[in-house]
Amino acid sequence: MASQYIVEGDNPDLSQERRKATFRVDSLSELLYGVEHLKSRRMIAKLVDTTPELHDTFPTTFMSREEKVENAARKVTIRKETASGSLLRAERRYFIFLVSTLVMHVDGHPLSLHGVMFVPLLMQQTDEEQRQKWLPRAIKGEIIGTYAQTELGHGTNVRQLETTATYDADNEQFIVNSPTVTSTKWWPGNLGKVSNYAIVVAQLYVKGNCYGPHQFIVQLRDENTHLPLPGITIGDIGPKFGINTNDNGFLRLNNVRIPRKQMLMRYSKVTQNGQYIRPIHEKLGYGGMVFVRSVMVSQQALFLAIACTVGIRYSCVRRQGEITPGSGETDLLPQLHALSSGLKAVVTHQVALGIEQCRMACGGHGYSNASALPELYGTAVGGCTYEGDNIVLLLQTARFLMKMAKMAIAMNMQSASVTTKYLFRDRPTKSSINQYSALDHSVLIEAFEHIACRLIFTVYNRIENLKKCGRTREEACNECSVDLCKDDYFSGQQVAYLRSVVYKAMNTIRPNAVPLVDAFDINDREMNSVLGRRDGNVYENLLQWAQLSPLNKTDVITAYIKHLGPYMKQERSKI
Amino acid sequence: MASQYIVEGDNPDLSQERRKATFRVDSLSELLYGVEHLKSRRMIAKLVDTTPELHDTFPTTFMSREEKVENAARKVTIRKETASGSLLRAERRYFIFLVSTLVMHVDGHPLSLHGVMFVPLLMQQTDEEQRQKWLPRAIKGEIIGTYAQTELGHGTNVRQLETTATYDADNEQFIVNSPTVTSTKWWPGNLGKVSNYAIVVAQLYVKGNCYGPHQFIVQLRDENTHLPLPGITIGDIGPKFGINTNDNGFLRLNNVRIPRKQMLMRYSKVTQNGQYIRPIHEKLGYGGMVFVRSVMVSQQALFLAIACTVGIRYSCVRRQGEITPGSGETDLLPQLHALSSGLKAVVTHQVALGIEQCRMACGGHGYSNASALPELYGTAVGGCTYEGDNIVLLLQTARFLMKMAKMAIAMNMQSASVTTKYLFRDRPTKSSINQYSALDHSVLIEAFEHIACRLIFTVYNRIENLKKCGRTREEACNECSVDLCKDDYFSGQQVAYLRSVVYKAMNTIRPNAVPLVDAFDINDREMNSVLGRRDGNVYENLLQWAQLSPLNKTDVITAYIKHLGPYMKQERSKI
């Protein structure tokens, strides 16, 4: 089928693929985005294409973090002028989806949190007077703000936040304070170097009573010099797994005084004389979270769409391996090759999964390079690809197993390898594993051998049947590729036994968890992780570690001097 | 139990954990490593600890790639002098395991490939004369070498390599050449800026006949100036997902002439007059691969051990959430919250898995930042943690479902949410899905509702039973946490149906694969990926992209001028 995606000079393999389409591509795009949305997407894409100031002069991946932030600041501040009306109108609607990926890519930018948190909160959580005072300044860009909730020691659980905001009725002020190391605000996007305001979440204290977390507008930096205000200690938290164009930051408040009217008072209120007025419904603040999460789902869909596009196009371009091998290598695989190939593939895969599981189990801090886990994953997961791509290796092991299956069926015992003797043995037709024997090694091995046999012979028979239907051995193998790469599985009953044994084992292991990893004997230098330190003194060391981030060399970064500062000043000078 | 890991000033939570151990930590370490190996590990660790020159002056994660390579070059070249005898002896044994993580961390270093590939190949694949000529120079460090096999267009399949080595009998030389863009050597570690020699794999041509891939020692850079020799175009391939301290490189050979004796001739030979002598066994070259893969398995185990250590220690230190919640939030979850929470968790998890699958499906090039996939993954996977940790969100959704299950059992229809009406309906006790209906949406939804019901009521009953055994609701829920986070599953029979339908669907989808992703309408600027380009002109653009790597600004990098050059020169000047 003809496609607008086919252009002269394209890789012919790709054009060939496009001609095979059995549907009209644009119809699907319209279905996916909606006709109007698709039009806007394309209009904006064209606008960006023809606006050189919105382009990178250099691929951002080659830039240092300082350069990335500066480059993004340049682009984010010129948007309004160059792309004027249409882009600006569309911007609100597509802020996250389109502008951020088209102009900013996926790595974040200096106004991320300003757009998705600061402005929306000023819309939703302010009373009328507050809205009139703050919202126009924020929307125009006279000030840049963010949202500071999470703390060094507290992510998910808002109720455990330690930052306090104590009302001083005599001065009609709140005193905002970080009483402990773990109360340091940590992670908020664009907090480190870019924002001069933040909505800070703190425990509200009035007349000695604590009324739980509330939101307060706190000025962080001087509007003219951009230097941190007295009582404010602030900076970048260092490189992360991703989103490094964002200056995620830390913030310590040393009894900083703010006017009473900077508590967001749409729902809860504190009166001048210190009366606390409860919101009608406790959870009115949570609507925003539901919104952000549903936005995230679409954003994540775009991420996966990008990955699929890259993966599928590239796989049609590359010429990798052949279904029918040119030589007889795969028929002569020694068992050691089969074993090391399969083992390498399974181990690298499981290790990568395991590291990510450990990383995510560390919550937000696992995402910071301070945990050492992002770099560790990056290194370990390379092993899935280098020294033989895992899929290729699994298929080689699988071919070897098919050969062994054939011999087992022919009872050709002499040709069997030591590693696959179990294919020749008489076995019970059902695994004998149960809730009592599920931790017995020999029974476990028996179970694995049983399952391996069943899977191997199932696939073998499937291939033989396909061959009988006229396919070549190679074609038949190729069609079974997915099966050949499948993990073993247990029956539902057996899974239930194993699961209950796993629960019991967890109870036994739990008290030994730390000593068990201590036994790996990995010292702090080797581990290179602030989170994994032997002494557990994590938070003060996270704070110390972050001071070394190059973004923290100066209080005011070049991105501000060159772009963000002039941008805000210009907006302020407009009448 | 007393533990050497407990030290005064430690985080008390961690000490508490260590006291609970029911075994002696050192006994397990001895079991894991072996007594002798453990002794060496600790001896070397101590040596490294007390040798300040082996330490980083600054966390490497804050360094640019140039600084990382320079820092690693400094450390790798002083090893021999400072840590003298013992470290040197141990180095051979623990090269990958210990020295690289203790001194070099996991991010690679300038002598990685020299140690694991160049030297071993000079040992295994040379004839006696070659071994005497090259091996001592390589072991002493007079030269730095690497192994150049993979090409831009060819990774796994060695037989398809395009680089040629044509024998010129008149001059007793091989002419090594890169005839096409796709024949550019690409990925070899330390090839870009560090190595002055490489063992290059090329198709051997003698008297017009091709004898397949063979290995040749090729000098890349002048031993004194380190500048690339005539006919050699060489450089760094740019930043990657990980291992960025390694200058993985590209290499183009423009009819470079090398002496006949620089073909590795232990097994295959070419005589002076151009007679080709076959090896006794074709696969004699593959032993190294089996070795490297088994080394990798241990290395990966260490990676996972590090991750487990970080994860477990940190999780004992942080105070995150409580099993018994302080307020009634979790009992009052609105269905929208439950739905958005569950959806966010499932979507971010699946997206992250999907991106990694796409990335790995791109083979080696998916690991390069040129694919855009490493940064995309880094960004997307953050979504598993921010805006509510996925595990926490899944548990919230699960608690909501448990509440709905209770209502369904009480037939309290009025309180049921719209999203869980299916819990109240009469359903067939078995799913009706089969091979004919497996693509029918309504049947699929029925199947999912069936499975959701079964799982929800199974878990509900399990919790009720545990509660009857005297646990609190919160304790019971906590013990079922793993179940509550489990995906749905099908019966074996149904999986078989679905699988066969998936195979058929794949055949339908396959011809539409590229058009389907074209329909995402993601343009090249938005995608920002060399591999995913609309035009499919991947390889020339990869080559062009890599030129921009900051490491390629100069032919000779600071790491050479300051460390590697003086190091090799000093070794050469020794008698």
Side-chain angles (χ1 to χ4, degrees):
Chain A
M1 187 168 283
S3 161
Q4 73 199 61
Y5 286 89
I6 300 176
V7 178
E8 198 157 315
D10 287 1
N11 183 303
D13 291 341
L14 215 46
S15 301
Q16 176 80 354
E17 289 290 340
R18 289 187 169 117
R19 277 187 215 103
K20 285 189 212 157
T22 61
F23 69 98
R24 211 182 122 259
V25 173
D26 254 18
S27 307
L28 183 57
S29 299
E30 286 164 6
L31 190 73
L32 286 173
Y33 294 99
V35 175
E36 280 310 305
H37 187 143
L38 183 66
K39 254 191 216 156
S40 307
R41 263 187 75 86
R42 290 189 174 164
M43 187 265 292
I44 296 172
K46 201 171 168 184
L47 201 62
V48 173
D49 258 350
T50 54
T51 308
E53 302 95 310
L54 290 174
H55 305 171
D56 298 319
T57 49
F58 208 72
T60 53
T61 192
F62 293 120
M63 296 180 183
S64 66
R65 282 192 69 215
E66 296 97 311
E67 290 167 334
K68 281 181 185 175
V69 176
E70 188 185 320
N71 177 61
R74 177 183 63 76
K75 291 190 294 182
V76 89
T77 52
I78 57 165
R79 270 216 319 264
K80 293 190 176 184
E81 291 158 34
T82 53
S84 64
S86 49
L87 184 55
L88 191 62
R89 271 198 310 282
E91 180 189 327
R92 210 160 295 170
R93 203 164 142 206
Y94 300 116
F95 190 87
I96 292 166
F97 304 102
L98 196 74
V99 179
S100 79
T101 51
L102 259 173
V103 183
M104 296 298 157
H105 314 305
V106 297
D107 203 47
H109 63 77
L111 298 189
S112 301
L113 272 283
H114 183 78
V116 298
M117 291 297 284
F118 190 64
V119 170
L121 280 172
L122 289 180
M123 288 173 173
Q124 296 161 18
Q125 303 288 329
T126 46
D127 64 26
E128 195 48 42
E129 185 188 344
Q130 291 176 323
R131 191 153 40 247
Q132 279 182 21
K133 176 171 181 186
W134 294 100
L135 194 58
R137 297 200 79 200
I139 285 179
K140 276 175 70 188
E142 293 183 19
I143 57 174
I144 299 174
T146 182
Y147 177 69
Q149 178 182 300
T150 51
E151 299 176 355
L152 250 180
H154 314 283
T156 306
N157 201 331
V158 185
R159 286 186 304 276
Q160 291 191 339
L161 294 176
E162 294 181 85
T163 304
T164 55
T166 309
Y167 186 58
D168 170 9
D170 295 342
N171 296 294
E172 207 185 333
Q173 287 176 329
F174 290 104
I175 304 160
V176 192
N177 193 42
S178 311
T180 59
V181 169
T182 44
S183 75
T184 307
K185 292 293 175 188
W186 196 271
W187 275 113
N190 305 131
L191 174 66
K193 311 303 289 186
V194 161
S195 299
N196 49 13
Y197 282 85
I199 292 170
V200 171
V201 182
Q203 302 288 352
L204 171 63
Y205 280 88
V206 185
K207 298 179 183 166
N209 296 317
C210 179
Y211 293 99
H214 287 70
Q215 298 164 341
F216 302 85
I217 301 174
V218 178
Q219 183 174 356
L220 307 170
R221 292 172 177 270
D222 183 276
E223 286 197 19
N224 291 309
T225 64
H226 205 61
L227 288 169
L229 293 181
I232 303 274
T233 310
I234 197 165
D236 173 73
I237 62 159
K240 300 145 296 193
F241 203 164
I243 324 185
N244 279 306
T245 308
N246 194 314
D247 54 314
N248 293 70
F250 64 84
L251 167 66
R252 290 189 55 75
L253 297 141
N254 184 13
N255 292 312
V256 173
R257 287 177 168 270
I258 58 167
R260 178 180 64 89
K261 292 194 171 174
Q262 284 180 211
M263 171 172 145
L264 298 189
M265 297 222 202
R266 178 156 184 187
Y267 301 111
S268 317
K269 292 180 210 304
V270 171
T271 62
Q272 194 176 345
N273 63 4
Q275 195 198 344
Y276 177 69
I277 299 164
R278 291 192 180 278
I280 305 156
H281 189 297
E282 244 190 83
K283 306 297 165 202
L284 279 169
Y286 290 112
M289 281 193 340
V290 173
F291 169 73
V292 172
R293 281 181 199 148
S294 49
V295 165
M296 270 182 72
V297 169
S298 312
Q299 189 189 22
Q300 292 270 330
L302 180 65
F303 292 160
L304 188 56
I306 292 175
C308 289
T309 307
V310 173
I312 287 183
R313 285 187 186 161
Y314 176 56
S315 66
C316 290
V317 165
R318 66 201 284 233
R319 301 271 177 89
Q320 201 64 22
E322 308 134 89
I323 290 177
T324 309
S327 92
E329 187 204 347
T330 49
D331 286 319
L332 295 163
L333 285 171
Q335 57 172 311
L336 205 59
H337 184 199
L339 189 66
S340 74
S341 298
L343 198 62
K344 181 267 189 192
V346 171
V347 166
T348 53
H349 178 71
Q350 292 297 335
V351 164
L353 288 181
I355 292 173
E356 275 294 77
Q357 209 169 351
C358 290
R359 191 182 64 69
M360 292 190 210
C362 290
H365 296 326
Y367 193 77
S368 164
N369 282 10
S371 75
L373 298 176
E375 285 183 13
L376 187 70
Y377 178 75
T379 297
V381 80
C384 294
T385 305
Y386 65 74
E387 285 304 323
D389 183 272
N390 276 2
I391 296 295
V392 174
L393 295 185
L394 287 174
L395 287 172
Q396 287 180 353
T397 305
R399 288 201 190 101
F400 170 78
L401 291 173
M402 289 304 101
K403 199 180 149 195
M404 290 301 118
K406 191 178 182 176
M407 286 175 186
I409 283 167
M411 286 309 289
N412 183 356
M413 190 63 140
Q414 297 90 317
S415 314
S417 79
V418 182
T419 50
T420 52
K421 286 273 186 243
Y422 61 90
L423 289 172
F424 293 81
R425 272 200 294 274
D426 276 337
R427 286 160 297 96
T429 48
K430 281 185 68 178
S431 163
S432 66
I433 203 163
N434 59 34
Q435 65 267 52
Y436 308 108
S437 63
L439 283 179
D440 182 325
H441 284 200
S442 64
V443 178
L444 277 173
I445 289 169
E446 184 194 274
F448 276 115
E449 288 183 351
H450 175 96
I451 291 155
C453 275
R454 221 178 70 191
L455 281 172
I456 289 167
F457 288 120
T458 303
V459 175
Y460 181 81
N461 291 330
R462 187 149 188 265
I463 293 176
E464 289 304 304
N465 286 337
L466 284 168
K467 277 160 72 178
K468 276 178 202 152
C469 303
R471 318 286 172 90
T472 66
R473 196 189 77 87
E474 285 73 20
E475 285 169 347
C477 279
N478 196 43
E479 273 191 51
C480 296
S481 294
V482 179
D483 291 329
L484 292 167
C485 298
K486 272 277 167 198
D487 289 329
D488 292 340
Y489 57 85
F490 288 88
S491 73
Q493 182 74 24
Q494 287 167 327
V495 169
Y497 291 153
L498 284 167
R499 188 177 294 164
S500 91
V501 169
V502 166
Y503 281 121
K504 278 184 203 144
M506 279 189 207
N507 287 329
T508 315
I509 291 168
R510 176 63 192 85
N512 290 307
V514 170
L516 278 167
V517 296
D518 285 346
F520 288 141
D521 190 57
I522 297 157
N523 74 12
D524 283 356
R525 189 180 304 287
E526 185 169 15
M527 189 158 37
N528 202 25
S529 165
V530 183
L531 295 192
R533 297 169 60 93
R534 185 206 51 72
D535 65 10
N537 296 325
V538 167
Y539 297 115
E540 52 273 54
N541 283 291
L542 271 176
L543 201 53
Q544 207 181 314
W545 182 88
Q547 310 308 315
L548 299 173
S549 170
L551 275 178
N552 292 332
K553 269 185 211 150
T554 56
D555 267 324
V556 181
I557 56 173
T558 328
Y560 174 83
I561 297 166
K562 285 197 188 167
H563 307 295
L564 300 169
Y567 166 77
M568 285 191 278
K569 274 170 199 154
Q570 197 186 340
E571 288 302 326
R572 282 176 215 145
S573 68
K574 285 182 192 162
I575 312 155
Chain B
M1 187 170 282
S3 161
Q4 73 199 63
Y5 285 89
I6 300 176
V7 176
E8 199 157 315
D10 287 2
N11 182 303
D13 290 342
L14 215 46
S15 300
Q16 177 80 349
E17 289 290 341
R18 287 185 171 119
R19 279 187 212 103
K20 288 189 210 156
T22 61
F23 68 98
R24 212 183 122 256
V25 173
D26 255 18
S27 307
L28 182 56
S29 298
E30 285 165 6
L31 191 71
L32 286 173
Y33 293 100
V35 176
E36 279 310 304
H37 187 142
L38 183 66
K39 253 190 216 158
S40 307
R41 263 187 74 84
R42 291 188 172 165
M43 187 264 292
I44 295 171
K46 201 171 171 186
L47 201 61
V48 174
D49 258 349
T50 53
T51 309
E53 301 95 309
L54 290 175
H55 305 172
D56 298 319
T57 48
F58 208 72
T60 54
T61 192
F62 293 120
M63 296 179 184
S64 67
R65 283 192 69 216
E66 297 96 310
E67 290 167 332
K68 280 181 185 174
V69 175
E70 188 185 320
N71 178 61
R74 176 183 64 76
K75 291 191 294 183
V76 88
T77 52
I78 58 166
R79 271 217 317 266
K80 292 189 176 184
E81 293 157 33
T82 53
S84 65
S86 49
L87 185 54
L88 190 63
R89 271 198 310 280
E91 179 191 329
R92 209 161 295 173
R93 202 165 144 204
Y94 300 115
F95 189 85
I96 292 166
F97 304 102
L98 195 73
V99 178
S100 76
T101 51
L102 258 174
V103 183
M104 295 299 156
H105 314 303
V106 297
D107 203 48
H109 63 78
L111 298 189
S112 301
L113 272 283
H114 184 78
V116 297
M117 289 299 282
F118 190 65
V119 170
L121 280 172
L122 289 179
M123 287 175 173
Q124 294 160 19
Q125 302 288 330
T126 47
D127 64 24
E128 194 49 41
E129 188 187 342
Q130 291 175 323
R131 192 153 40 248
Q132 279 182 20
K133 177 170 178 185
W134 296 99
L135 194 57
R137 296 200 78 202
I139 287 180
K140 275 177 68 190
E142 294 183 17
I143 58 175
I144 298 175
T146 181
Y147 178 68
Q149 177 181 301
T150 51
E151 299 175 356
L152 247 180
H154 313 284
T156 307
N157 201 328
V158 185
R159 286 185 305 273
Q160 292 189 338
L161 293 175
E162 294 181 86
T163 304
T164 55
T166 311
Y167 187 58
D168 170 9
D170 295 343
N171 295 294
E172 207 184 334
Q173 288 176 327
F174 290 104
I175 305 160
V176 192
N177 193 40
S178 311
T180 59
V181 169
T182 45
S183 74
T184 307
K185 292 293 177 190
W186 196 272
W187 275 112
N190 306 129
L191 175 65
K193 311 303 291 185
V194 161
S195 298
N196 50 12
Y197 282 84
I199 292 171
V200 172
V201 182
Q203 301 288 354
L204 171 64
Y205 281 87
V206 185
K207 296 178 183 167
N209 296 318
C210 179
Y211 293 99
H214 286 71
Q215 298 164 340
F216 303 85
I217 300 174
V218 178
Q219 184 174 356
L220 307 171
R221 293 172 176 270
D222 183 276
E223 286 197 19
N224 291 309
T225 65
H226 205 61
L227 288 168
L229 293 181
I232 304 274
T233 310
I234 197 165
D236 172 71
I237 61 162
K240 299 145 295 189
F241 204 164
I243 324 184
N244 279 305
T245 308
N246 194 313
D247 55 313
N248 293 70
F250 65 83
L251 167 67
R252 290 190 55 77
L253 298 141
N254 185 12
N255 291 312
V256 172
R257 288 179 167 268
I258 58 167
R260 177 180 67 90
K261 293 195 172 174
Q262 286 181 210
M263 171 175 145
L264 299 190
M265 298 221 202
R266 177 151 182 190
Y267 300 112
S268 316
K269 294 180 208 299
V270 172
T271 63
Q272 192 174 347
N273 61 6
Q275 197 198 341
Y276 177 70
I277 298 163
R278 291 189 180 279
I280 304 153
H281 189 296
E282 245 190 82
K283 304 298 163 199
L284 280 170
Y286 290 112
M289 281 194 336
V290 173
F291 169 72
V292 172
R293 281 180 199 149
S294 48
V295 165
M296 270 181 72
V297 169
S298 312
Q299 190 188 21
Q300 292 268 331
L302 180 63
F303 291 160
L304 190 54
I306 291 176
C308 290
T309 306
V310 173
I312 288 182
R313 284 185 187 163
Y314 176 56
S315 65
C316 291
V317 165
R318 67 200 284 230
R319 298 270 176 91
Q320 201 66 19
E322 309 134 90
I323 290 179
T324 308
S327 93
E329 188 204 347
T330 49
D331 285 319
L332 293 162
L333 285 171
Q335 58 174 309
L336 205 60
H337 184 199
L339 190 65
S340 73
S341 297
L343 199 62
K344 181 269 190 187
V346 171
V347 166
T348 53
H349 178 70
Q350 291 298 333
V351 164
L353 287 181
I355 292 172
E356 275 295 79
Q357 210 169 349
C358 290
R359 191 182 64 69
M360 290 190 210
C362 290
H365 295 326
Y367 193 77
S368 165
N369 282 11
S371 74
L373 297 177
E375 285 183 13
L376 188 69
Y377 178 75
T379 297
V381 80
C384 295
T385 305
Y386 65 75
E387 285 304 322
D389 185 273
N390 275 2
I391 295 295
V392 175
L393 294 184
L394 286 174
L395 288 173
Q396 287 180 354
T397 305
R399 285 197 193 106
F400 171 78
L401 291 172
M402 289 304 101
K403 199 180 146 194
M404 292 299 118
K406 191 179 182 177
M407 288 174 185
I409 284 167
M411 285 311 286
N412 182 357
M413 191 62 140
Q414 297 91 315
S415 315
S417 78
V418 182
T419 50
T420 52
K421 287 273 187 244
Y422 61 89
L423 288 173
F424 293 80
R425 271 200 293 276
D426 276 339
R427 287 159 297 93
T429 48
K430 279 186 68 179
S431 163
S432 66
I433 202 162
N434 60 35
Q435 65 268 52
Y436 307 109
S437 64
L439 283 180
D440 182 326
H441 284 199
S442 64
V443 178
L444 277 174
I445 289 169
E446 186 193 273
F448 276 115
E449 288 183 350
H450 175 98
I451 290 155
C453 277
R454 219 178 71 192
L455 282 172
I456 288 167
F457 289 119
T458 303
V459 175
Y460 180 81
N461 291 329
R462 188 153 186 262
I463 292 176
E464 291 303 305
N465 285 337
L466 284 169
K467 275 160 74 179
K468 280 179 200 150
C469 303
R471 316 288 171 89
T472 66
R473 197 189 77 87
E474 286 72 21
E475 283 171 348
C477 279
N478 195 43
E479 271 192 50
C480 295
S481 294
V482 179
D483 290 328
L484 293 168
C485 299
K486 270 279 166 199
D487 287 329
D488 294 337
Y489 56 84
F490 290 87
S491 74
Q493 182 73 23
Q494 289 167 326
V495 170
Y497 291 153
L498 285 167
R499 187 178 293 165
S500 91
V501 171
V502 167
Y503 280 122
K504 278 182 203 145
M506 278 187 204
N507 288 328
T508 316
I509 291 168
R510 176 62 192 86
N512 290 308
V514 170
L516 279 168
V517 297
D518 286 346
F520 289 140
D521 190 58
I522 297 158
N523 75 12
D524 282 356
R525 188 179 306 286
E526 187 170 13
M527 188 158 39
N528 202 24
S529 165
V530 183
L531 295 191
R533 295 169 61 92
R534 186 206 50 75
D535 66 9
N537 295 326
V538 166
Y539 297 116
E540 51 275 53
N541 283 291
L542 269 177
L543 201 51
Q544 207 181 315
W545 182 88
Q547 311 309 314
L548 299 173
S549 170
L551 275 179
N552 291 332
K553 271 186 209 149
T554 57
D555 267 324
V556 181
I557 56 174
T558 328
Y560 174 83
I561 297 166
K562 284 198 189 166
H563 306 295
L564 299 168
Y567 167 77
M568 286 191 279
K569 273 171 199 153
Q570 196 186 345
E571 287 303 326
R572 283 176 215 145
S573 68
K574 286 183 190 161
I575 311 152

